[in-house]
Amino acid sequence: MYYLDENFQFHEMKAEVNVTVENEDITVIVKYLLEKITTLEKNGQEKEKSMQEEVTKLKDKLAEQDTTLMEQEKKLKEQRKDNEKVSSRIDLLEEMEKNQNQSIKDSMDKVSSRIDLLEDLEKTQNHSIKDSMDKVSSIIDLLEDLEKTQSQSMKDSMNKVSSRFDLLEDLEKKQSRSMKNYMDKVIEDIGHLQNQSSRFQEYMDLSPVAFSYGYNKNDNTKVINGQTLLFTDRIMDLGGQFNPSTGTFTAPIKGIYVFYLVVRTLGADGWTNVDLMSGKKTIATVRSYDKDSDDQSSVSTAVLLDRGQTVRPVVRITNRDYIHPDDHYSYFTGYLLKPI
């Protein structure tokens, strides 16, 4: 302890302090201190354990979030691919719609030109009939003048007039018949145009028809004669007209359809023929052969199908072993090109 003198100098203050502590008091104090230290250590261990548990939970949560983000990123990539394919099909349908609109416009222009021609013909005929009537009227006036002086001459003239009337009537009948035939043709064209418009409206009301399915390792890869190849891995399906469980496409309306088939085989040396069948009729054939390793072949075709007709890939001849099991080495695609 220090004190300050009148000259502002510090000096140490010395004092004696006598403290008497009993042994029992020391034991109590030491015991208390030990208990306090034990309690503090226990609380510290519990806090450390709690903090480690929290850190573990945070690590698990971060790992779960990383997994979720990776799955979402994968789904976004797949959705982007589907959107691109749908966009290309929409562009194709818009182009087809423009072509259909142009076809309807051309047909309407033809009908309009025929109607204008018909009106011109009618005007010409009316003018011709009027001229003829004017001539007849003038002849009648002439005959009336001659009647007073020449009876025989008037009779002859009347006969000539009668024959001319007969000629005019025949001409009028022929012109009327020609006009009727032309009108029937125009009405027929209008009916055909209305039928085309109705079919086009039916096509516009129909959902887009297009599909693409791949062949993968989960399918039955063994090749058997007479077997229908099943393409079960869906790439795209607009309209739902392809049945992957039977390998069959069913036409929703009459029209021109385009199909594309790719087959990759592997196994022993030999041939494999896969036919695209519509009912019992073969419309295209994929033929593959390779002596030393696997082989891939393809075929594309366009075919006219009625509503309800089907198309499916069938193995006709084979002495090979298997369809290649890798995803999408083999696939089956088709779409509606134009309704009829």
Side-chain angles (χ1 to χ4, degrees):
M1 181 178 293
Y2 295 87
Y3 68 94
L4 188 67
D5 63 10
E6 60 184 3
N7 296 320
F8 300 99
Q9 300 290 327
F10 284 99
H11 300 277
E12 183 178 2
M13 181 181 292
K14 296 182 179 179
E16 294 182 359
V17 179
N18 295 322
V19 179
T20 303
V21 180
E22 297 294 336
N23 290 333
E24 294 180 357
D25 294 335
I26 293 173
T27 302
V28 171
I29 292 171
V30 170
K31 184 177 181 180
Y32 172 78
L33 291 174
L34 289 174
E35 290 177 352
K36 196 72 174 175
I37 291 170
T38 302
T39 302
L40 290 174
E41 288 179 351
K42 183 177 181 181
N43 291 338
Q45 291 175 355
E46 290 178 353
K47 288 183 179 180
E48 183 178 1
K49 181 179 180 181
S50 176
M51 290 178 67
Q52 289 178 351
E53 290 177 353
E54 291 293 330
V55 169
T56 303
K57 289 180 180 179
L58 287 174
K59 288 181 178 180
D60 294 339
K61 190 172 182 180
L62 288 174
E64 182 179 354
Q65 289 179 349
D66 289 340
T67 303
T68 303
L69 288 174
M70 291 176 66
E71 291 177 353
Q72 290 178 349
E73 183 178 1
K74 183 178 179 180
K75 290 180 179 179
L76 286 174
K77 290 181 179 179
E78 293 176 352
Q79 185 176 5
R80 190 176 296 112
K81 291 181 179 178
D82 290 341
N83 290 339
E84 291 175 355
K85 293 178 180 177
V86 170
S87 176
S88 65
R89 295 300 178 189
I90 290 174
D91 293 338
L92 176 61
L93 289 174
E94 289 178 349
E95 184 66 25
M96 291 172 66
E97 181 181 357
K98 291 179 181 179
N99 293 336
Q100 288 287 344
N101 290 335
Q102 183 62 38
S103 177
I104 291 175
K105 182 177 181 299
D106 294 340
S107 298
M108 289 299 296
D109 290 340
K110 290 180 180 179
V111 171
S112 178
S113 63
R114 290 188 178 181
I115 291 174
D116 293 339
L117 179 61
L118 184 62
E119 290 177 350
D120 293 339
L121 179 60
E122 183 179 1
K123 290 177 181 179
T124 303
Q125 289 175 340
N126 291 335
H127 188 269
S128 176
I129 292 172
K130 183 177 181 300
D131 292 341
S132 299
M133 291 301 296
D134 290 340
K135 289 179 181 180
V136 170
S137 178
S138 63
I139 292 172
I140 291 174
D141 293 338
L142 178 61
L143 288 174
E144 288 177 351
D145 293 336
L146 293 174
E147 185 180 3
K148 297 177 182 180
T149 58
Q150 297 177 345
S151 299
Q152 185 61 39
S153 177
M154 183 184 66
K155 184 180 179 181
D156 296 338
S157 297
M158 287 298 294
N159 290 334
K160 291 180 180 180
V161 169
S162 178
S163 63
R164 290 186 180 182
F165 267 119
D166 293 338
L167 181 62
L168 288 173
E169 288 177 354
D170 292 339
L171 178 61
E172 184 177 359
K173 289 179 181 178
K174 290 180 180 179
Q175 290 175 338
S176 297
R177 191 179 301 112
S178 177
M179 184 181 297
K180 182 178 182 301
N181 292 335
Y182 188 80
M183 285 299 296
D184 290 341
K185 179 63 177 175
V186 170
I187 292 173
E188 182 182 352
D189 289 344
I190 291 174
H192 180 67
L193 179 62
Q194 289 175 343
N195 186 42
Q196 282 187 336
S197 178
S198 176
R199 288 182 177 274
F200 176 72
Q201 186 61 42
E202 180 183 358
Y203 170 73
M204 291 304 297
D205 294 338
L206 180 71
S207 300
V209 179
F211 72 91
S212 183
Y213 279 79
Y215 204 95
N216 61 35
K217 60 186 177 182
N218 295 323
D219 294 325
N220 181 17
T221 58
K222 181 68 176 177
V223 180
I224 304 172
N225 288 337
Q227 162 193 353
T228 298
L229 291 183
L230 301 181
F231 294 83
T232 61
D233 194 359
R234 173 178 172 173
I235 301 171
M236 176 193 66
D237 192 349
L238 302 178
Q241 302 302 322
F242 180 76
N243 187 343
S245 63
T246 62
T248 303
F249 170 80
T250 303
I253 62 171
K254 182 178 181 180
I256 300 173
Y257 293 82
V258 176
F259 297 97
Y260 189 63
L261 176 64
V262 178
V263 177
R264 185 163 187 168
T265 55
L266 74 164
D269 176 20
W271 294 94
T272 296
N273 286 3
V274 180
D275 294 341
L276 278 179
M277 304 289 295
S278 177
K280 296 182 179 180
K281 180 181 179 181
T282 300
I283 60 176
T285 299
V286 172
R287 190 177 191 187
S288 62
Y289 174 81
D290 196 294
K291 184 175 181 180
D292 299 322
S293 62
D294 56 312
D295 184 34
Q296 185 177 45
S297 299
S298 64
V299 68
S300 60
T301 185
V303 61
L304 176 63
L305 297 178
D306 288 328
R307 181 189 182 101
Q309 283 190 295
T310 61
V311 174
R312 61 192 178 99
V314 179
V315 179
R316 179 164 54 90
I317 299 174
T318 182
N319 51 5
R320 303 291 293 276
D321 289 338
Y322 295 94
I323 299 295
H324 203 293
D326 287 349
D327 291 350
H328 302 175
Y329 272 17
S330 300
Y331 56 91
F332 185 28
T333 296
Y335 61 90
L336 172 61
L337 178 64
K338 183 179 180 181
I340 300 299

